[in-house]
Amino acid sequence: MMLRSALTLAAVLAAPYALSAPAACTGKAPAGELTATRIAAANSTRSEPGLYEGPVWIKDALYFSDFTFGPGFPSRIMKLDASGKVSVAIEDSGSNGLATDGHGNIIAATHKWKSVSLYTLDGKRSDLVSKFEGNVFNSPNDMAMASDDTLYFSDPDFQRTAAPGGQDKTRVYRVGTDGKVTVVDDTLKNPNGVSLSPKEDVLYVNGMVGEHGVLRAYPIVNGVPQAGKDLVEQLGIPDGMAVDCYGNIYVSEHTDKRLRVFTPAGKQIATIKVDANVTNAAFGGADGKTLYITGAGALWQLKLDVTGSPY
């Protein structure tokens, strides 16, 4: 199985945009209790209940998934441009979490196809990875792509009924540049948020152990994640994450309506509150210092003093 299809390779080679190398980390990390501001123009206009998910900053705009809880979990990708205008970027994307490959394309966890997909910004889709041991996935949720195109993603069962088939367990996967799919962890119940440290030497994944949420860290040695260790325990229901340039991890706690910020050693340094259930976060804006947060039909922003990952 190839990781990238011919369409994907062509899109990457033709792409005029690539993420610039990260600048030196300056400024102060957040501290204490903070409150993010709701972006009124992005409030959901749907009549059905649902969630915003997977914010990703590409070039000069924020993209995010907007899906409902109806049959098949219908989803579309929305765009918030620099002027504050919100529009539909890709109809019927079937997506949850989003990331970028660094070439201006969207990497999407797509429950509609039970795969991880690549979307060009004009809406063309191709599969990056679609099966493990001959079966489709449950409902890919969140992911991180390393600078060498190694892909890590979570596969809980939240949207498993969106399409037929699935796996016998919920897992975290690694997809090498050769297309080989391997299991990172199959002990987390419904693994969710996935992030990489700035140096790409630690993989972070959150999920449930029994009735408690945990943030788990996996050292990466020679490109391969090692056994994970629980960095933070007793989380609320964990969801998506972001990482700033100092390596601090911003963990969404879904029904607690907040993100908590932890150092790479697991020490809590800040809390960021919102006014609805929260799903994920990403850094963006002209200077890369605005934290965008998605949740239940809402999008928030918070100006910070540090840069961070764009998804």
Side-chain angles (χ1 to χ4, degrees):
M1 178 186 63
M2 296 297 292
L3 174 60
R4 293 188 180 277
S5 66
L7 170 62
T8 304
L9 283 173
V12 168
L13 293 172
Y17 168 70
L19 291 176
S20 58
C25 196
T26 60
K28 294 181 179 179
E33 189 171 293
L34 306 168
T35 301
T37 302
R38 184 185 280 250
I39 301 174
N43 286 343
S44 178
T45 58
R46 291 184 184 268
S47 59
E48 310 95 333
L51 295 172
Y52 291 170
E53 250 288 8
V56 57
W57 185 267
I58 299 177
K59 208 169 184 177
D60 58 358
L62 185 80
Y63 296 83
F64 58 95
S65 293
D66 170 18
F67 71 88
T68 74
F69 300 140
F73 302 92
S75 181
R76 59 190 180 182
I77 294 176
M78 308 296 290
K79 176 183 178 180
L80 173 71
D81 67 22
S83 72
K85 179 184 176 182
V86 178
S87 59
V88 178
I90 300 174
E91 288 277 12
D92 193 24
S93 61
S95 61
N96 190 307
L98 306 178
T100 180
D101 63 357
H103 299 277
N105 303 304
I106 294 173
I107 308 300
T110 43
H111 48 259
K112 179 175 180 177
W113 289 279
K114 292 181 174 279
S115 70
V116 178
S117 302
L118 181 143
Y119 275 107
T120 58
L121 294 188
D122 60 1
K124 294 184 175 67
R125 190 193 76 88
S126 58
D127 279 328
L128 285 184
V129 58
S130 58
K131 291 184 178 181
F132 175 67
E133 296 184 341
N135 295 320
V136 295
F137 297 99
N138 294 314
S139 58
N141 185 280
D142 202 4
M143 75 223 84
M145 180 170 273
S147 55
D148 69 351
D149 287 352
T150 298
L151 176 70
Y152 303 95
F153 69 97
S154 60
D155 186 40
D157 60 14
F158 299 131
Q159 289 88 43
R160 195 177 195 273
T161 59
Q167 295 288 327
D168 61 343
K169 282 189 173 184
T170 60
R171 301 183 178 99
V172 182
Y173 295 96
R174 175 188 184 271
V175 188
T177 55
D178 59 357
K180 183 178 180 180
V181 184
T182 54
V183 175
V184 175
D185 197 338
D186 64 359
T187 66
L188 289 171
K189 178 184 176 183
N190 285 326
N192 199 318
V194 179
S195 288
L196 283 167
S197 64
K199 293 182 179 180
E200 300 183 355
D201 57 355
V202 182
L203 173 69
Y204 297 109
V205 181
N206 62 43
M208 301 297 290
V209 174
E211 300 302 315
H212 302 290
V214 300
L215 171 62
R216 190 165 288 178
Y218 308 79
I220 296 175
V221 179
N222 296 325
V224 178
Q226 306 301 298
K229 177 183 178 181
D230 289 348
L231 188 66
V232 180
E233 299 177 336
Q234 303 300 320
L235 288 172
I237 298 172
D239 214 313
M241 299 186 289
V243 174
D244 70 24
C245 60
Y246 288 116
N248 300 310
I249 310 111
Y250 297 60
V251 181
S252 301
E253 293 177 291
H254 186 77
T255 53
D256 289 335
K257 304 177 183 179
R258 68 182 183 187
L259 290 84
R260 282 197 283 167
V261 185
F262 300 95
T263 69
K267 177 184 177 182
Q268 182 178 333
I269 58 173
T271 301
I272 300 169
K273 293 186 175 182
V274 295
D275 61 358
N277 288 356
V278 63
T279 60
N280 216 325
F283 283 82
D287 60 1
K289 294 183 177 181
T290 298
L291 185 70
Y292 290 97
I293 302 167
T294 51
L299 181 66
W300 300 266
Q301 62 183 354
L302 178 65
K303 186 69 176 177
L304 296 174
D305 196 35
V306 290
T307 59
S309 60
Y311 60 86

